[in-house]
Amino acid sequence: MTLWGGRFQSSLDPQAWALNASLSFDRRLGQQDVRASQAWANALQAAGVIDAQENERIHAGLQQVGHELQQGTFAFQPGDEDIHTAVERRLGEILGPLAGKLHTGRSRNDQVATDLRLWLLDHLPELESALIDLQSALVMRAEADHGTLLPGYTHLQRAQPVLLSHWWLSFFWPLQRDRERLANLVKLTAVLPLGSGALAGTPYPIDRFALAKNLGFDRPSPNSIDAVADRDFVAEFLFCAALTGIHLSKLAEAVILFSTTEFGYIELPDQYATGSSLMPQKKNPDVFELARGKAGSLIGLLSGLLATLKGLPSSYDKDLQEDKLPLFQAFDTLGVVLPVLAGALRTLRIYPERMQAGLEAGLMATDLADYLVAKGVPFREAHTVVGKVVVWAAQQARSLAELELAEYQALHPSFTADVYRVFDPWASVARREVTGGTAPAAVATQLELAKTALQNRLISTGEQES
Ligand code: ARG
């Protein structure tokens, strides 16, 4: 059964049917389709299109449909073009001709846009939970690894000592921003298209404010032509997902790098590493590489949808059916990657002594310049002097800590015997007590902020449909 057979004399070519049909993927909207239909039935009753008894029967019928979908007992038919058709067809089997009244004043155009928004609103809390779980794994690491320093890098060159806790938390905050972005997306998504009809608005006196409230939306859409075409919420979700993917990719890349023999800072837990079919010694970071690789796919999903949207003229076009697969795929991808990364972070092993070994005196070159600044030397001059110290030490193949005081003094008279204190990496981090800095006290404050952020869900978990 199609919902539009009346004007046609022959049925759709089978291959055209296969292209046109969307049931294989939009069946995931089943519960949302039922819920939106029940709300629409209420609106039809309020508008005097159906009476209370009819509404009650439609509700009960839809409830049965929803139940069958949930239990997996719903028998899809080869002729079900999409989930809306399937639900309506089944309702017809249950109720008879009364089911035909449900679609009064409604189009699949406003229906599908409503269903998809509902689906996203239903599922965003789940995604936030997965993000929170990964954040809490990072907090766990930050707490467990509090007494450890490692070389911080810029340009992948050793730069300055930092607290390992600080480093872990540097991956926490991007995820916090991801949650904030998703919370903003809720506002954008909670605008109701239903009542827009095919494009011109429904001719029945539907109270769209009541309808919006009934479905948990903030307000009705202000323009029916825009409402059936607007997939900004999908594009924004895909952007959010892509950016989260990029954050996960960066974290994965950092762990991969630190787990190489060359760094040796991290060892992957067996449960999250894979072997080689040829080389018995290998312990490969496949799951981290996949986390990194999935970011590419997520970016592709966003690009794909944007390309689909860009050429559309106005109101609904069937191109818009291409919105669902990327949305579901992006959601599913994050649902797989996030818990794996959280589990791996919780169980990986760190090698503090290897990190410590990387903290050569050269990483305190900036502190050495600041030492001269404390003695009244302008920073630019101090920077030049320390540059000369570094070159001198390199020529001797000695570290900064191994130079004699006389050698220092030959380069600047302000150096005195206390210069060697500069090379304590703990002293270096302790000096960075500024808000957001790497000093243990500052990181302790940051950790408290992170824990508070973890306590506060930004997206409320309402009723959740599957
Ligand atoms: N399966 C369609 C979609 O996902 C439903 C809307 C169909 N509307 C139409 N005018 N053919 O977009």
Side-chain angles (χ1 to χ4, degrees):
M1 173 197 89
T2 61
L3 300 176
W4 38 265
R7 106 180 273 303
F8 289 83
Q9 268 142 36
S10 65
S11 54
L12 198 59
D13 167 86
Q15 284 170 323
W17 172 270
L19 171 63
N20 190 49
S22 53
L23 183 68
S24 63
F25 48 91
D26 67 17
R27 62 173 68 192
R28 286 177 75 165
L29 299 176
Q31 294 304 326
Q32 288 72 27
D33 200 68
V34 164
R35 222 158 82 223
S37 295
Q38 287 177 326
W40 185 244
N42 288 341
L44 287 178
Q45 185 197 330
V49 178
I50 57 175
D51 63 32
Q53 204 205 348
E54 290 174 319
N55 187 18
E56 222 168 275
R57 287 182 56 210
I58 289 175
H59 261 75
L62 284 167
Q63 193 161 351
Q64 183 181 333
V65 174
H67 186 73
E68 290 175 6
L69 284 166
Q70 200 167 27
Q71 299 299 306
T73 56
F74 187 101
F76 288 102
Q77 302 297 324
D80 292 341
E81 178 184 333
D82 55 23
I83 187 65
H84 325 291
T85 314
V87 168
E88 201 175 322
R89 190 254 317 144
R90 180 72 189 119
L91 191 66
E93 289 164 8
I94 298 168
L95 297 182
L98 172 61
K101 291 197 176 183
L102 174 62
H103 210 56
T104 314
R106 183 177 75 163
S107 159
R108 281 183 296 162
N109 296 356
D110 56 352
Q111 198 178 348
V112 70
T114 302
D115 290 359
L116 198 58
R117 283 172 188 265
L118 273 178
W119 190 92
L120 189 58
L121 292 171
D122 283 346
H123 287 80
L124 283 176
E126 218 173 287
L127 185 52
E128 188 183 27
S129 298
L131 284 165
I132 289 174
D133 187 48
L134 179 56
Q135 285 182 302
S136 81
L138 286 162
V139 163
M140 181 241 117
R141 287 266 42 135
E143 285 187 310
D145 304 337
H146 200 60
T148 302
L149 293 183
L150 86 160
Y153 298 78
T154 61
H155 310 270
L156 214 48
Q157 307 283 327
R158 284 182 192 166
Q160 294 179 325
V162 292
L163 231 61
L164 181 53
S165 304
H166 194 51
W167 188 80
W168 285 125
L169 289 175
S170 75
F171 297 102
F172 177 97
W173 298 107
L175 300 173
Q176 184 64 22
R177 294 194 293 275
D178 290 341
R179 285 171 56 202
E180 285 165 15
R181 249 184 296 279
L182 292 178
N184 286 332
L185 179 61
V186 168
K187 288 178 225 150
L188 194 90
T189 306
V191 178
L192 176 81
L194 202 57
S196 300
L199 84 161
T202 188
Y204 299 91
I206 299 290
D207 180 351
R208 295 187 65 223
F209 286 89
L211 185 57
K213 197 159 168 254
N214 194 346
L215 279 169
F217 285 82
D218 290 342
R219 60 200 154 88
S221 56
N223 180 306
S224 59
I225 302 175
D226 175 44
V228 294
D230 175 12
R231 296 296 184 274
D232 291 4
F233 68 104
V234 182
E236 290 220 19
F237 172 73
L238 293 176
F239 172 72
C240 293
L243 196 52
T244 298
I246 289 166
H247 295 148
L248 302 183
S249 177
K250 285 165 61 110
L251 170 60
E253 167 62 10
V255 171
I256 291 167
L257 203 59
F258 282 3
S259 70
T260 57
T261 313
E262 285 69 18
F263 277 89
Y265 293 170
I266 283 174
E267 186 182 339
L268 302 175
D270 282 2
Q271 311 94 287
Y272 295 97
T274 43
S276 158
S277 57
L278 179 73
M279 301 165 282
Q281 86 284 11
K282 292 297 291 293
K283 193 166 182 186
N284 290 331
D286 289 31
V287 296
F288 288 89
E289 290 164 341
L290 285 165
R292 194 176 56 190
K294 295 284 185 197
S297 307
L298 289 166
I299 294 166
L301 295 172
L302 170 63
S303 313
L305 182 83
L306 292 176
T308 299
L309 295 179
K310 82 168 270 299
L312 300 187
S314 168
S315 86
Y316 181 85
D317 298 273
K318 196 63 173 262
D319 315 44
L320 292 172
Q321 184 163 283
E322 293 293 310
D323 59 357
K324 285 168 248 352
L325 275 175
L327 178 77
F328 294 148
Q329 196 181 327
F331 183 85
D332 293 345
T333 298
L334 291 176
V336 170
V337 174
L338 283 165
V340 171
L341 287 184
L345 289 188
R346 287 195 171 96
T347 45
L348 60 72
R349 177 166 171 199
I350 59 156
Y351 288 91
E353 58 293 351
R354 287 278 306 181
M355 298 179 185
Q356 183 69 34
L359 297 170
E360 82 239 353
L363 272 74
M364 270 64 79
T366 314
D367 301 82
L368 196 57
D370 288 324
Y371 165 91
L372 288 176
V373 167
K375 306 226 167 195
V377 182
F379 180 76
R380 277 291 150 230
E381 185 189 341
H383 187 282
T384 307
V385 170
V386 174
K388 288 183 177 149
V389 171
V390 169
V391 171
W392 174 253
Q395 283 167 352
Q396 319 284 312
R398 286 146 75 205
S399 93
L400 298 190
E402 288 164 355
L403 299 181
E404 306 291 337
L405 181 56
E407 293 174 282
Y408 273 108
Q409 286 175 335
L411 288 163
H412 202 283
S414 298
F415 284 116
T416 53
D418 58 357
V419 66
Y420 298 100
R421 276 193 236 148
V422 164
F423 302 119
D424 173 5
W426 280 103
S428 170
V429 297
R431 276 190 285 274
R432 289 165 169 79
E433 261 205 54
V434 65
T435 300
T438 197
V443 174
T445 307
Q446 186 192 161
L447 197 53
E448 286 316 307
L449 275 180
K451 286 181 174 172
T452 308
L454 268 185
Q455 297 309 313
N456 294 326
R457 288 196 70 95
L458 303 179
I459 303 174
S460 71
T461 48
E463 261 186 26
Q464 237 177 283
E465 305 283 332
S466 61

